[in-house]
Amino acid sequence: MNLRSSWVAETGQTREDTRLTQIGATTPANPLEVRSGILPGSYDGLNRLSGFWLDGTAGTMQAVVHEGRAVVAAGATQGAYPVTLPEPAALTFADGEDNPRIDLVVLKIHDALYDGDGTQQSTATLEIVEGVSAPTPQAPAAPAIGLPLYQVLVRTGISAGKGGINWSTDVTDLRTPTVAVGGILPVVGDTGNGAYPGQYRDSGGALQRWDGSAWVSYPSALGGIAPAGTVNTASYTGQYRDSSGGLLQRWNGSAWVSYQPVPKWTDYTPVWGVESGTKPSIGNGTLAGSYVKTGNVVTVRIYLKIGSTTNLSAQAANANWTFTLPAAPTSTTWKLDGRVLTASAFDQSTQLFYQGTALLATTGGGIVRSLRDGFAFNAGIWDKGLPMTWAANDVLSVYGTYESAS
């Protein structure tokens, strides 16, 4: 049985035994292998990853890699190598050539037991792997058992006397983090897929959980409300988020929709009808309406202003005016009979207001009908002769709230 253990046998524990059985700062990649990376942390707590930070000297080809700790993973049978850089280390890049090139800064493990010829000392080193200069340069491949840290563009012909490397624009940070088993992995660069369902990472200020196929924001997994800006595409129908505008939104399967819509007036054009005789024609008058519908609660207002060419004379004396609603009212008897809207008639010639009511009806998709006095002055239904003789510039308003059928 080739079972490895650490600190059990009195003698004979090998370096390989120790690497294969270490369970400290290692994020699993599979049942045997772990993730290479830099241990997170900074002196002031402001940065996710400060270990092995590269700091270039302006106008030169020299840089310093600052202290840090890392894990460099090898194969499943070789184990992982913990590495510590206890103090800053200097690097010097070769001068630029006839074409630009891309150099790679790596943390390289040399292990004489595996490297082949036995001439190389077993050690961990910081190395610059020079790329090939070309009009369109490509980064060199990382060496075996090597953790890439940075790509550095060395432009054509540069040197310490010719401007040196532009450290602010020509360095690409390749460092990625690793943490202890079960730890929350801070996202720096690409963290790749998770190793097991239930693994966590911190990405963009949001805690995420690997569900077996994707990283899902932690509020989503709990059914909570995702904070604004953390979720663009939902993970499931029914997920909620707080929008950047401060609205609660729900994913309906294809889009984010406001869960509690903000009430907003919508214009519509009512149809002016009669229960007998010639149909009204507004002519140069005004007939307009607007409404707010929230769920099955509808607030409506209808406005009629008689014009000089409105066909009042052609209408019947007992026409009984009606106006269409924006949504059909509920057909429940007691709700329909017990709900009325308010009607108000304004006589321009006398400057008098007449107060009235209007009944709801489901006819024709929903109408108001039987407009009449609200104080028992007259039993007649309003039309061209009631509550006054209608003329140009007289105004009728119908308004109120009712329960719609849907």
Side-chain angles (χ1 to χ4, degrees):
M1 179 183 293
N2 188 25
L3 187 62
R4 303 298 187 108
S5 64
S6 291
W7 318 121
V8 173
E10 293 182 5
T11 62
Q13 178 171 323
T14 66
R15 290 175 295 165
E16 191 175 74
D17 290 333
T18 306
R19 292 194 304 272
L20 287 171
T21 56
Q22 67 148 334
I23 56 174
T26 53
T27 301
N30 57 47
L32 286 179
E33 297 179 286
V34 299
R35 169 190 173 88
S36 294
I38 310 298
L39 272 66
S42 59
Y43 290 111
D44 55 11
L46 297 178
N47 298 293
R48 293 172 181 259
L49 209 61
S50 64
F52 293 89
W53 172 250
L54 185 144
D55 187 14
T57 303
T60 74
M61 306 295 287
Q62 293 182 328
V64 171
V65 176
H66 291 275
E67 61 274 19
R69 294 182 296 162
V71 173
V72 183
T77 60
Q78 190 172 343
Y81 296 79
V83 177
T84 297
L85 178 65
E87 57 187 17
L91 294 176
T92 301
F93 292 81
D95 293 344
E97 304 172 49
D98 293 338
N99 286 300
R101 72 172 191 272
I102 295 175
D103 291 350
L104 193 66
V105 179
V106 299
L107 183 57
K108 176 72 172 70
I109 299 297
H110 298 276
D111 192 329
L113 294 177
Y114 295 92
D115 290 346
D117 60 10
T119 60
Q120 174 67 51
Q121 182 182 3
S122 295
T123 184
T125 60
L126 273 172
E127 299 182 7
I128 298 173
V129 180
E130 287 191 13
V132 177
S133 64
T136 305
Q138 302 296 317
I145 324 180
L147 176 60
L149 300 178
Y150 299 93
Q151 286 181 5
V152 178
L153 174 63
V154 180
R155 298 181 182 273
T156 303
I158 64 168
S159 65
K162 296 181 179 179
I165 294 172
N166 188 331
W167 302 105
S168 63
T169 61
D170 293 348
V171 177
T172 302
D173 192 346
L174 303 179
R175 296 173 305 155
T176 56
T178 190
V179 294
V181 175
I184 297 174
L185 187 69
V187 173
V188 176
D190 180 18
T191 64
N193 291 338
Y196 55 90
Q199 184 178 3
Y200 289 92
R201 73 176 187 179
D202 181 81
S203 177
L207 188 61
Q208 295 181 325
R209 178 183 182 275
W210 180 256
D211 68 359
S213 60
W215 290 104
V216 179
S217 292
Y218 187 63
S220 303
L222 288 180
I225 300 171
T230 61
V231 177
N232 292 322
T233 301
S235 301
Y236 56 89
T237 300
Q239 183 178 0
Y240 290 91
R241 74 173 185 181
D242 179 29
S243 74
S244 58
L247 297 178
L248 181 63
Q249 294 181 324
R250 179 182 183 275
W251 182 258
N252 67 6
S254 59
W256 291 103
V257 295
S258 293
Y259 180 64
Q260 294 177 319
V262 176
K264 182 180 179 180
W265 286 103
T266 300
D267 292 340
Y268 86 106
T269 302
V271 176
W272 183 16
V274 291
E275 295 183 335
S276 64
T278 301
K279 182 179 179 180
S281 174
I282 189 63
N284 62 358
T286 302
L287 177 61
S290 61
Y291 68 97
V292 175
K293 187 175 187 295
T294 305
N296 64 347
V297 179
V298 181
T299 300
V300 64
R301 54 193 184 196
I302 299 170
Y303 175 85
L304 168 68
K305 185 174 185 178
I306 303 299
S308 61
T309 60
T310 301
N311 68 338
L312 291 174
S313 60
Q315 297 180 30
N318 294 305
N320 301 341
W321 289 346
T322 65
F323 298 90
T324 57
L325 294 167
T330 178
S331 59
T332 302
T333 301
W334 74 266
K335 293 182 179 181
L336 195 63
D337 289 347
R339 173 68 69 183
V340 296
L341 300 182
T342 299
S344 176
F346 175 67
D347 186 341
Q348 174 67 25
S349 63
T350 63
Q351 297 290 293
L352 294 177
F353 277 97
Y354 298 85
Q355 295 300 316
T357 60
L359 296 179
L360 296 170
T362 59
T363 307
I367 62 171
V368 288
R369 59 179 297 274
S370 296
L371 282 68
R372 64 179 74 218
D373 289 359
F375 298 102
F377 295 139
N378 194 312
I381 297 176
W382 289 5
D383 46 32
K384 71 175 185 179
L386 287 173
M388 72 279 190
T389 300
W390 288 82
N393 297 317
D394 290 344
V395 174
L396 171 67
S397 296
V398 180
Y399 51 92
T401 301
Y402 66 95
E403 180 181 348
S404 66
S406 61

